[in-house]
Amino acid sequence: MGVRLIIMGPPGVGKGTQGEFLAERFGVPRLSTGDMIRAALKAGTALGERVRDYYEAGELVPDEVVLGLVAEAIDGSEASGGFVLDGFPRTVPQADGLGELLTARGIGLDAVLSLEAPEEELVDRISGRRVCGACGLVTHVRAVGEAAACPACVATLVQRSDDRAETVRNRLAVYGAQTEPLLAYYARSETGLTAVDGTGTLEAVRDRLFETLRTAEMAG
Ligand code: AMP
């Protein structure tokens, strides 16, 4: 059975990590617009150059850019059995665009999940986040200490360029102004919105998400 989910929530709430758990659980890809943009920046493509300044400032990149990326990903063979959308949609026009895209393909969403955590915790999680440029592992200074090597592949862990303190505050403000209105948008939609507590250990949040979907008769 194909499953089509959106995982929403503020920066640092754990969308990427939990989105990956969900994707594995259902055997579908996690489609992260943030990851797609970072890949384009790293590869130095024309699209990457077009969005670099927005990304570095913690601003949203133009709607048509992410809508194009998502349409391509949804039409890819990997996503034919479903997907977990992570970090998209982030604006009302993006949500409208997604709705049109799905309708045109005769498919719908099974659930829209909203992960929640207090702002102090988000700032702590983001400012301590470290990523491996080689294997993509995401961890936290609490787990590995400062200036550590990646525990998976021993390459050097780095801080995402948009995880610096000055950018983090802007990303949270952008979330509040542009993305938070989508919670009401989906709450009013046919699919509805399911809020899930994002505090606690990775495993606790994962189990809460699985349980929520099981209750909704999706996780079997
Ligand atoms: P993320 O990894 O999801 O936190 O995204 C990191 C950055 O990529 C954001 O701060 C934006 O600059 C850009 N980005 C990711 N997804 C979107 C989106 N759906 N709409 C606009 N910008 C996005």
Side-chain angles (χ1 to χ4, degrees):
M1 185 195 83
V3 84
R4 298 184 182 89
L5 304 174
I6 297 179
I7 185 157
M8 298 193 52
V13 79
K15 295 185 296 293
T17 306
Q18 299 299 336
E20 200 57 46
F21 287 144
L22 290 169
E24 275 171 31
R25 170 75 182 78
F26 291 104
V28 296
R30 176 178 65 99
L31 306 181
S32 156
T33 42
D35 285 356
M36 295 174 203
I37 290 166
R38 278 184 287 280
L41 286 168
K42 197 170 171 188
T45 63
L47 187 144
E49 291 317 312
R50 179 166 174 217
V51 302
R52 185 179 298 281
D53 290 349
Y54 297 99
Y55 180 89
E56 297 294 343
E59 295 290 333
L60 296 184
V61 312
D63 290 331
E64 68 272 16
V65 174
V66 277
L67 271 164
L69 289 170
V70 167
E72 201 178 309
I74 286 181
D75 289 338
S77 57
E78 263 192 40
S80 58
F83 48 76
V84 175
L85 281 171
D86 158 14
F88 174 92
R90 263 174 152 101
T91 64
V92 171
Q94 288 180 22
D96 286 340
L98 175 67
E100 285 166 21
L101 205 143
L102 296 178
T103 303
R105 287 156 181 78
I107 52 182
L109 293 169
D110 296 294
V112 180
L113 301 158
S114 163
L115 269 186
E116 299 176 339
E119 185 154 327
E120 318 82 79
E121 189 155 337
L122 302 175
V123 173
D124 172 71
R125 288 189 193 178
I126 302 177
S127 53
R129 171 158 60 188
R130 296 293 179 272
V131 295
C132 176
C135 77
L137 180 103
V138 181
T139 184
H140 195 279
V141 287
R142 258 199 310 278
V144 294
E146 286 288 350
C150 173
C153 77
V154 309
T156 309
L157 291 173
V158 294
Q159 184 171 43
R160 258 170 59 172
S161 60
D162 65 332
D163 277 352
R164 288 181 297 249
E166 63 277 19
T167 312
V168 169
R169 267 178 268 289
N170 191 39
R171 286 167 61 203
L172 288 167
V174 165
Y175 175 80
Q178 302 195 57
T179 308
E180 225 164 35
L182 282 186
L183 301 181
Y185 176 107
Y186 281 114
R188 281 194 307 268
S189 75
E190 202 185 316
T191 314
L193 180 80
T194 308
V196 176
D197 178 4
T199 61
T201 63
L202 296 182
E203 294 76 17
V205 178
R206 178 196 61 195
D207 293 348
R208 233 173 263 147
L209 279 166
F210 286 176
E211 188 51 36
T212 303
L213 292 171
R214 203 173 355 257
T215 314
E217 292 181 350
M218 287 184 46

